[in-house]
Amino acid sequence: VHLSSLDNMRMCLKRHVLPDPVLGVRAPLRVLDVGGADVNGSYRTVFAGLEVDYVVVDLEPGDHVDAVPGAGGRLPFDDESFDLVISGQTFEHAGTFWQTYLEMVRVGREDGLIIVIVPSAGPEHRYPVDCYRFLPDSLVALARLGGTHLIDSWRDPLGPFHDLVGVYRRTPPDPERPTGAPVIDSFEPLQNDYPSNTSDDVEHGAGDETCWSLLERVHEVFEPRFYLEIGVSHGSSLRLARCPALGIDPAPVLVDPLPEHHRISRMTSDDFFSFAEVASEIGPLDLAYIDGMHQVENVLKDFLHLERVCHPASVILIDDIFPAHPVQAQRERASRFWTGDVWKILPILRGARPDLILLPLDTWPCGTLLVAGLDADSDVLWERFDMLVSFALDLMSDVHPEIIQREGALDPSDPLVTRMLRLLRDARLDDDPTPRLAGVRRLLGGAMPRRVAPIS
Ligand SMILES: C[S@@+](CC[C@H](N)C(=O)[O-])C[C@H]1O[C@@H](n2cnc3c(N)ncnc32)[C@H](O)[C@@H]1O
């Protein structure tokens, strides 16, 4: 299962299962995952932390497969035995998916939900066959076939599969039993705790100027009209904004009250971009800072969503692109200084978006990437999202020594950075920012690296 499919299942949970007056409090929730063998990930992880009785049925017996279908595809369960019957990335491989759907309806409880996730596009992938891609009307056709009610559906803007999601009830929606508002309390792991016994050899940063001092100078020179920050924690970075600002963090730990022109949205960035009225929550987005969940897929999603609301002269800063020790780069946190695999964002952006201006800066403790030349209309990363994430997770497992050594990083106090920020600030006021942006590219072309960061 690709990452965006897991996110879609999580969204179904937050929008429909947890807010439901019956399903939201049922424990354990009986879940049947049809076609749920673990092929690069399982929806089971989405339910971690909830009290569920999770049953997997798939064509072949295997690890974590509890049952296989009987003759004619019959599911080996009694009628009405599950609260939630889910199936994702399976119908395209099932020659007669409509029979599978009818079986899912049969084993689902009257007051339960059925969730189907199918690709509307994407490359052929045979497990052992790949038969279909689906259009939105197919979700409606399934509802009719099963005598069920399609209560919600959407098409994922992330490619290459652009999944369709259908949420069904066996009974018509009951106006007496409305589903509540989405549950956006984060139950995703935040990794805010760390072991206290990690050696000094691991627990250190590199670089001279701190990332906060750089950020302060960026505010001073670039004079953003609005600042958005993902990952607030104690508020040390948010506090540096002189302009109106919004911080997004599901678990901020502010020590002092924020100034009046600063607000915090207490949710994950995924939830913010899914549930908030983003346009009305933010001002003209000149500057954004990504410092939330330190896993590459989250940083990539944060970047995609932020770029959509940026203008050509906006700047996005990404923190923690240079782990100072391989232990800091682990995806599961094992140290106080923790970058996770955020470092992968630099090769990803370099490879997929040669149009971006990328300036890796040698800040203490773990480096900062300055991204300019943004294009709110670019679809490249959206179209390739799941491919890029699989590439990053499966093929880029070890942090390369040149990343630890910060090869090609620029001293953040280099006057080039200030000149570039001034040009970008002025480009904001231009009717056509293209010439000044071209000036920024000329300024950087040939000038990199000015001073390769020393290894400390
Ligand atoms: C490194 S701290 C941020 C530090 C802060 N920017 C500073 O420099 O003072 C990371 C923060 O990200 C938050 N976080 C974790 N997962 C997140 C998510 N999915 N979306 C937004 N914030 C998240 C954590 O709760 C934590 O407070």
Side-chain angles (χ1 to χ4, degrees):
V1 185
H2 42 271
L3 183 93
S4 61
S5 186
L6 297 176
D7 282 345
N8 279 318
M9 190 58 78
R10 191 171 291 111
M11 190 55 62
C12 293
L13 212 60
K14 291 187 170 192
R15 274 197 202 172
H16 294 287
V17 181
L18 296 177
D20 185 276
V22 174
L23 300 178
V25 292
R26 190 165 279 164
L29 195 70
R30 271 185 61 77
V31 182
L32 175 65
D33 184 344
V34 178
D38 190 340
V39 181
N40 298 325
S42 152
Y43 295 123
R44 191 190 294 270
T45 54
V46 172
F47 293 83
L50 301 174
E51 203 183 329
V52 289
D53 183 1
Y54 201 88
V55 179
V56 170
V57 62
D58 210 302
L59 290 180
E60 304 277 342
D63 260 4
H64 301 298
V65 174
D66 303 291
V68 292
R74 191 179 162 83
L75 296 178
F77 308 106
D78 292 339
D79 294 0
E80 303 214 20
S81 31
F82 293 93
D83 299 303
L84 208 56
V85 186
I86 65 175
S87 184
Q89 313 329 131
T90 295
F91 281 16
E92 71 271 32
H93 305 292
T96 52
F97 63 85
W98 46 94
Q99 287 175 356
T100 312
Y101 184 71
L102 289 174
E103 276 296 279
M104 290 171 66
V105 175
R106 180 183 66 76
V107 301
R109 284 195 183 143
E110 279 270 313
D111 58 4
L113 288 173
I114 300 157
I115 298 170
V116 171
I117 304 183
V118 286
S120 71
E124 188 178 9
H125 54 291
R126 303 178 73 212
Y127 283 114
V129 291
D130 188 1
C131 310
Y132 307 106
R133 294 294 175 270
F134 297 80
L135 293 174
D137 285 348
S138 62
L139 297 181
V140 179
L142 272 183
R144 279 208 206 102
L145 173 83
T148 48
H149 304 266
L150 183 63
I151 58 165
D152 195 6
S153 64
W154 64 88
R155 181 176 184 266
D156 196 325
L158 293 172
F161 295 107
H162 294 288
D163 287 325
L164 285 175
V165 183
V167 183
Y168 301 87
R169 275 197 182 285
R170 289 186 55 180
T171 50
D174 180 358
E176 301 287 304
R177 203 187 108 182
T179 300
V183 170
I184 52 178
D185 280 350
S186 163
F187 56 91
E188 294 92 333
L190 298 178
Q191 307 214 39
N192 284 346
D193 300 322
Y194 46 86
S196 54
N197 54 354
T198 313
S199 75
D200 291 351
D201 179 38
V202 170
E203 299 288 21
H204 63 89
D208 294 329
E209 183 175 9
T210 70
C211 57
W212 299 283
S213 154
L214 166 74
L215 188 56
E216 191 167 24
R217 200 167 58 260
V218 172
H219 277 290
E220 195 182 300
V221 176
F222 188 53
E223 299 175 43
R225 293 164 295 175
F226 190 87
Y227 169 73
L228 192 150
E229 175 171 294
I230 296 177
V232 173
S233 190
H234 294 88
S236 316
S237 44
L238 186 61
R239 231 169 264 290
L240 301 173
R242 302 153 177 216
C243 58
L246 174 68
I248 300 166
D249 193 318
V253 277
L254 294 174
V255 258
D256 296 311
L258 287 171
E260 242 176 41
H261 55 293
H262 290 176
R263 281 178 303 119
I264 295 224
S265 186
R266 286 172 185 263
M267 55 179 92
T268 63
S269 47
D270 275 1
D271 282 350
F272 178 80
F273 290 111
S274 300
F275 295 118
E277 285 284 334
V278 178
S280 63
E281 293 261 357
I282 63 174
L285 188 57
D286 295 332
L287 180 64
Y289 192 55
I290 301 179
D291 191 15
M293 172 46 66
H294 292 350
Q295 290 184 331
V296 62
E297 62 275 28
N298 290 78
V299 177
L300 184 55
K301 278 187 276 183
D302 289 345
F303 182 82
L304 293 178
H305 287 122
L306 287 173
E307 191 183 25
R308 275 280 188 264
V309 286
C310 280
H311 54 80
S314 303
V315 166
I316 297 179
L317 298 170
I318 303 177
D319 200 37
D320 295 312
I321 56 156
F322 290 133
H325 188 282
V327 170
Q328 298 174 9
Q330 290 177 20
R331 286 172 56 79
E332 303 307 320
R333 188 168 188 168
S335 50
R336 182 166 81 86
F337 286 77
W338 182 52
T339 64
D341 59 351
V342 174
W343 63 271
K344 294 174 182 169
I345 197 70
L346 181 54
I348 285 180
L349 294 180
R350 269 197 186 131
R353 291 288 306 277
D355 55 315
L356 290 173
I357 297 168
L358 300 170
L359 202 59
L361 298 169
D362 174 29
T363 53
W364 188 91
C366 294
T368 309
L369 178 64
L370 189 156
V371 189
L374 299 159
D375 176 2
D377 296 325
S378 173
D379 279 333
V380 176
L381 297 171
W382 290 79
E383 284 303 319
R384 298 189 197 164
F385 178 78
D386 281 298
M387 300 300 223
L388 292 170
V389 171
S390 320
F391 171 71
L393 298 188
D394 303 338
L395 299 175
M396 299 167 72
S397 48
D398 294 330
V399 59
H400 308 165
E402 57 271 27
I403 298 285
I404 304 276
Q405 286 154 21
R406 303 187 172 197
E407 256 174 38
L410 192 71
D411 182 344
S413 63
D414 192 304
L416 193 71
V417 178
T418 310
R419 280 186 65 197
M420 175 181 168
L421 288 167
R422 285 211 184 99
L423 275 172
L424 287 166
R425 180 199 59 195
D426 296 344
R428 199 189 295 156
L429 304 173
D430 294 343
D431 287 338
D432 176 11
T434 325
R436 236 186 274 260
L437 281 167
V440 173
R441 288 179 201 280
R442 271 197 306 276
L443 186 70
L444 296 179
M448 294 255 313
R450 293 268 284 248
R451 172 164 80 71
V452 175
I455 308 163
S456 52

